[in-house]
Amino acid sequence: MPRFSVIVPCYQVQGFVRECLDSVLAQSFGDVELIAVDDRSPDGSGAILDEYAERDPRVRVLHLPKNVGLGRARNAGLAHATGDYLFFLDSDDTLAPGALRAVADRLVEAAEPDVLVFDYARAYWWGGTRRNALASLLAEAGPETFTAEEFPRILDLLMVVWNKVYRREFVAAEGFEFPPGYYEDTPWTFPVMLSARRIATLDRICVYYRQRRQGNILSTTSRKHFDIHAQYDRVFAFVAARPRLAPWLPYLHRKMGEHCLDILAKPDRVPAGDKAEFFRHTKAMFRIHRPAGALVDGEVAVLEGSWPVYRMRRQAARAGREAARRAGVVRAAAAARARSGWAAVHRRRPLDPWLVVYSASSHRGLLGDPAAVYAKARQIAPRLRGVWVVRDAETAALLPPGVEHVIVGSRRYLEVTARAKFFVNDVNWPGTLVKRPGSVHIHTHQGTPLKYLGADLLDKPGARLGFDVPQMLRRADRWDHSLVASRHSELVWERAYPCHFSSARTGSPRNDVLVTGGPSDFRARHGIPADHTVVLYAPTRRDYRRDGHVDRFDPARLAADLGAGHTLVVRLHPSLANGPARGTGLAELARRGIVVDATDEPRVEDVLLAADVLVTDYSSIMFDYACLDRPVVLHADDWPAFTASRGAYLDITAEPPGHVAHSYRELVRLFTSGCWQDEESARLRARFRSRFCEYDDGRAAERVVRTLLLGEPMPEPDAVRIPGQTAGRDALASA
């Protein structure tokens, strides 16, 4: 008996079905039977299914004698299923890599629940991917099983059949089956979810829900959308036969009204000439199924009126939205004029020679180099008044007590940016910020450059998709000083940003704590044993993928291969923190304690200080970590693709900070053999530090404050020295 029966009904999907089947059969978890149902498809889908069945014994094909529709095709597959759990997968959707393994593990952990609900992401025809907006509910539900009564918000998720697996014995005992017609998921999912005694969740993207440009039957204008009424009749009949479910009637009554009104409001659903009839059918159902004493308010209250009244309300609403839009445009223009005038008034006042405005990572709070400069300025130059620019009130609430701040775009923001003498930022300021004569802009950057940036992106059209290089250079024209940690950085910045600034050989302020070996409470906060070797995995994004994320290997597998006495910490690139990268397994692995997810740690320095070894691909974090003089391992299995799409200033595989693994097998071998920390690793690291951490001496922030903010003299840092090498920069010139 297989663990899963994956049932895939097929109708006119010859362009998509191969990808769907491959996504199932290529899963790392292979205890599965795939029941493909050819719903009398007029295209080549049936032949494709037969082809797969010939070469894989796990595939069974059912050819139906006539077209019966999606629901009944699922029933046909259900009748032949023998697996412990049922997985209904639409033939144009795909399983995420590792999905079945994750589902199988969660089923065991949850002690065989009736239903397991997991996450999905919409995969758009143009290449974009967007995670389910309500994904947080899956984590909120917690690790224990529950009923819908105990956690009713589970019903807020998309009520479809394919974001769940179902215990087959539970389905058989309850006699669940799919009805004919459109919206067949409705009379399946509500009865199933309300009947289940034990529901569990999995906070992981398991299905990619294809968003076709055309061809979605629920986006086709047709009278078949009237089927929604019969489907809800079935739901209410199911509840009526089970008195214990009666408390759900008010919820279902409102849900039915909202669902039908949503269909009616869509211009591509019910034909225009049939909308009045659809409204009357919905109104009649709403009256028939209304529970005694049920409150009717909000949007569904229109169902107690007439079609002409509803239509007038819709027209009035549309007119209101258009009027609000026009008024909003007028208000925005007036506000812009007012802000411009307010800023102009303050620009007539003299610059405040002690006012320093800080921002980091597009106004995300006290981070990186600007935060290090700010802290040092408060310590050694308290007469300097530091004001932080943050993006919103939520970010402001996270600031430490006593930190003066303004919200970007506010009147206070306009005032301080009009009068400040100094500006410190690691990204460009908005184009609306006017640089006054006499003001000083200090640009700290966000790390040592490896991949192409600035004007060099003009030769990489794929990497600069949606990125305005000329605009970026106009904003960089405001820089007065560019902080550098090495001559490599100095040469790259001056080439990539052909603007009139001076390079300041200060070192990287955020790395001072790494050079001096500052404290970190990261291990304690995450419960990492003191005797564990902490392996930090920090991959970067890929420009040859629209969403930037490519799974190079399974973190759970690496955690297992590292063995006892090791803790794997994963930190995703900031641009991937809220995307599918997290949902394809990392969040669930962290919940189960297999890895530690450090993506949201605000201070990356704390994470670096806690790590005994860094595993990365081409992230600039390696240049920062090198300041710690700890082992680094590169996982460079796609270096040619990475450089072809983005470009690189050096071949990091030829001048690495440690051993290079060109495959996952090589990566694991480096750890199992102990080579990750051998003499060769130390030699490579020393050479790397001498070149790329040249000016990082632990006094970078002080150097910025004294020389650039206070105008005091301070010597440039001595170059990093490595054992057996002649000191001095001349000796490093050829490094």
Side-chain angles (χ1 to χ4, degrees):
M1 180 186 299
R3 186 59 165 160
F4 296 108
S5 293
V6 181
I7 299 170
V8 182
C10 301
Y11 183 79
Q12 288 191 328
V13 286
Q14 64 180 9
F16 307 107
V17 69
R18 290 183 185 276
E19 186 178 359
C20 173
L21 300 181
D22 288 341
S23 75
V24 177
L25 300 175
Q27 290 283 312
S28 58
F29 185 90
D31 189 13
V32 58
E33 64 176 2
L34 195 160
I35 304 173
V37 184
D38 173 17
D39 189 18
R40 199 65 178 176
S41 183
D43 63 0
S45 296
I48 294 173
L49 300 182
D50 290 337
E51 173 191 329
Y52 274 77
E54 288 179 3
R55 67 171 187 250
D56 195 318
R58 295 175 295 172
V59 180
R60 180 175 183 181
V61 180
L62 304 179
H63 294 283
L64 302 185
K66 63 178 181 179
N67 178 255
V68 296
L70 183 58
R72 289 181 172 176
R74 287 173 176 159
N75 290 339
L78 176 59
H80 291 83
T82 63
D84 297 332
Y85 280 85
L86 305 170
F87 197 142
F88 297 98
L89 181 65
D90 286 354
S91 50
D92 54 354
D93 297 339
T94 57
L95 288 186
L100 289 184
R101 167 57 65 188
V103 171
D105 290 345
R106 182 69 178 110
L107 291 173
V108 172
E109 181 188 41
E112 309 297 297
D114 295 329
V115 180
L116 175 66
V117 186
F118 45 75
D119 200 16
Y120 67 92
R122 298 177 187 269
Y124 293 91
W125 62 270
W126 42 266
T129 305
R130 180 167 60 86
R131 191 178 185 184
N132 167 28
L134 296 177
S136 60
L137 288 179
L138 297 171
E140 185 181 330
E144 305 300 324
T145 58
F146 55 89
T147 63
E149 290 89 350
E150 293 167 337
F151 188 64
R153 293 190 64 197
I154 195 67
L155 300 181
D156 291 341
L157 294 172
L158 190 63
M159 283 286 102
V160 290
V161 66
W162 44 258
N163 63 350
K164 310 169 185 72
V165 293
Y166 314 86
R167 189 166 59 84
R168 185 170 58 86
E169 292 181 354
F170 161 69
V171 170
E174 295 288 344
F176 294 129
E177 64 178 8
F178 293 91
Y182 276 23
Y183 303 100
E184 74 291 331
D185 284 6
T186 299
W188 170 279
T189 51
F190 280 118
V192 164
M193 295 298 286
L194 299 182
S195 300
R197 298 292 186 179
R198 300 178 67 251
I199 303 171
T201 60
L202 173 63
D203 183 16
R204 187 194 197 280
I205 294 172
C206 293
V207 171
Y208 286 105
Y209 175 30
R210 188 185 299 275
Q211 305 294 288
R212 295 204 214 177
R213 183 171 178 269
Q214 295 178 340
N216 187 332
I217 61 172
L218 294 185
S219 298
T220 303
T221 304
S222 168
R223 280 188 61 86
K224 289 185 178 181
H225 292 283
F226 279 77
D227 285 355
I228 189 64
H229 302 125
Q231 305 295 25
Y232 271 103
D233 277 337
R234 293 183 172 98
V235 173
F236 282 102
F238 180 88
V239 173
R242 293 160 177 78
R244 75 176 183 86
L245 298 180
W248 285 103
L249 287 173
Y251 169 85
L252 292 171
H253 179 250
R254 175 176 291 274
K255 192 73 173 181
M256 175 196 66
E258 292 172 348
H259 195 170
C260 292
L261 288 174
D262 181 64
I263 294 170
L264 185 62
K266 296 289 197 308
D268 57 354
R269 305 293 170 85
V270 180
D274 298 325
K275 286 184 177 290
E277 182 184 354
F278 187 92
F279 179 87
R280 289 192 294 270
H281 275 247
T282 301
K283 177 181 177 179
M285 281 190 60
F286 197 70
R287 183 182 64 253
I288 292 170
H289 293 299
R290 180 177 179 178
L295 180 66
V296 177
D297 59 2
E299 179 188 7
V300 295
V302 300
L303 292 171
E304 296 197 324
S306 64
W307 165 249
V309 172
Y310 168 79
R311 186 173 56 182
M312 285 189 295
R313 287 185 178 180
R314 291 283 300 171
Q315 292 171 345
R318 283 195 294 268
R321 287 193 296 270
E322 177 59 22
R325 185 191 67 79
R326 292 176 178 174
V329 171
V330 173
R331 285 195 300 271
R337 288 193 296 271
R339 287 195 299 270
S340 177
W342 181 255
V345 167
H346 286 283
R347 282 198 296 271
R348 295 191 186 100
R349 299 171 63 189
L351 292 175
D352 184 339
W354 305 111
L355 179 57
V356 187
V357 179
Y358 296 90
S359 180
S361 298
S362 300
H363 318 310
R364 290 198 300 115
L366 267 73
L367 302 169
D369 289 314
V373 174
Y374 169 77
K376 184 59 67 172
R378 294 188 69 173
Q379 176 187 347
I380 66 175
R383 62 186 180 276
L384 290 171
R385 175 191 169 202
V387 179
W388 278 85
V389 177
V390 294
R391 57 186 176 184
D392 50 35
E394 292 181 4
T395 307
L398 299 176
L399 296 175
V403 174
E404 187 177 355
H405 65 275
V406 295
I407 295 176
V408 65
S410 67
R411 287 169 66 103
R412 287 279 297 123
Y413 163 83
L414 296 172
E415 179 181 341
V416 299
T417 55
R419 298 211 54 214
K421 169 75 172 181
F422 299 102
F423 293 79
V424 182
N425 204 339
D426 59 3
V427 296
N428 272 316
W429 292 95
T432 53
L433 190 148
V434 177
K435 186 178 191 299
R436 292 182 61 183
S439 65
V440 178
H441 283 236
I442 301 170
H443 194 79
T444 72
H445 304 284
Q446 289 186 319
T448 297
L450 172 61
K451 54 193 176 185
Y452 278 8
L453 296 163
D456 291 330
L457 289 176
L458 293 172
D459 291 331
K460 296 292 180 181
R464 60 181 170 85
L465 181 65
F467 182 67
D468 190 334
V469 174
Q471 179 190 73
M472 179 271 299
L473 293 178
R474 286 192 295 272
R475 294 180 180 182
D477 284 333
R478 296 175 295 198
W479 301 355
D480 292 291
H481 302 286
S482 166
L483 306 190
V484 299
S486 65
R487 276 169 297 175
H488 163 81
S489 296
E490 184 174 342
L491 294 173
V492 168
W493 297 136
E494 292 183 4
R495 164 184 160 174
Y497 297 95
C499 309
H500 295 290
F501 58 81
S502 62
S503 295
R505 294 179 173 181
T506 59
S508 298
R510 69 184 180 283
N511 288 342
D512 287 348
V513 68
L514 304 182
V515 176
T516 59
S520 171
D521 63 349
F522 179 84
R523 287 185 180 232
R525 284 190 288 108
H526 291 276
I528 300 174
D531 60 344
H532 270 215
T533 298
V534 174
V535 180
L536 171 61
Y537 175 48
T540 191
R541 61 176 291 119
R542 299 302 195 273
D543 289 288
Y544 58 80
R545 286 289 297 270
R546 185 178 293 271
D547 61 5
H549 175 66
V550 178
D551 281 316
R552 307 316 309 169
F553 55 78
D554 180 5
R557 182 180 177 188
L558 178 58
D561 288 338
L562 288 173
H566 294 77
T567 294
L568 179 62
V569 176
V570 180
R571 184 178 176 88
L572 296 178
H573 189 277
S575 66
L576 304 178
N578 297 317
R582 212 119 170 233
T584 50
L586 180 57
E588 176 64 10
L589 293 176
R591 183 194 68 79
R592 293 167 55 194
I594 295 174
V595 304
V596 174
D597 181 3
T599 304
D600 288 336
E601 286 287 328
R603 281 177 43 87
V604 67
E605 300 85 23
D606 290 339
V607 184
L608 298 181
L609 284 165
D612 296 299
V613 54
L614 170 68
V615 177
T616 187
D617 37 34
Y618 325 114
S619 171
S620 63
I621 202 172
M622 73 177 81
F623 298 96
D624 300 330
Y625 191 76
C627 292
L628 287 166
D629 194 20
R630 298 177 189 172
V632 180
V633 175
L634 290 189
H635 181 239
D637 66 333
D638 67 338
W639 178 245
F642 182 86
T643 54
S645 61
R646 181 58 186 256
Y649 292 111
L650 69 147
D651 183 353
I652 197 65
T653 64
E655 303 176 78
H659 288 294
V660 179
H662 297 282
S663 67
Y664 178 76
R665 178 177 296 181
E666 291 182 11
L667 176 64
V668 172
R669 187 181 300 122
L670 284 171
F671 280 95
T672 56
S673 66
C675 291
W676 62 276
Q677 56 180 341
D678 62 10
E679 292 183 3
E680 176 64 8
S681 171
R683 186 191 68 79
L684 293 170
R685 182 168 70 251
R687 181 181 179 185
F688 189 85
R689 288 179 62 234
S690 71
R691 179 177 179 186
F692 298 108
C693 306
E694 189 175 0
Y695 306 137
D696 282 325
D697 64 349
R699 301 183 66 189
E702 179 186 358
R703 193 169 285 108
V704 173
V705 173
R706 293 195 185 280
T707 63
L708 302 184
L709 299 183
L710 300 178
E712 299 176 358
M714 187 173 177
E716 288 187 0
D718 289 330
V720 172
R721 301 183 183 183
I722 61 177
Q725 184 179 47
T726 304
R729 294 196 185 118
D730 291 339
L732 292 168
S734 61

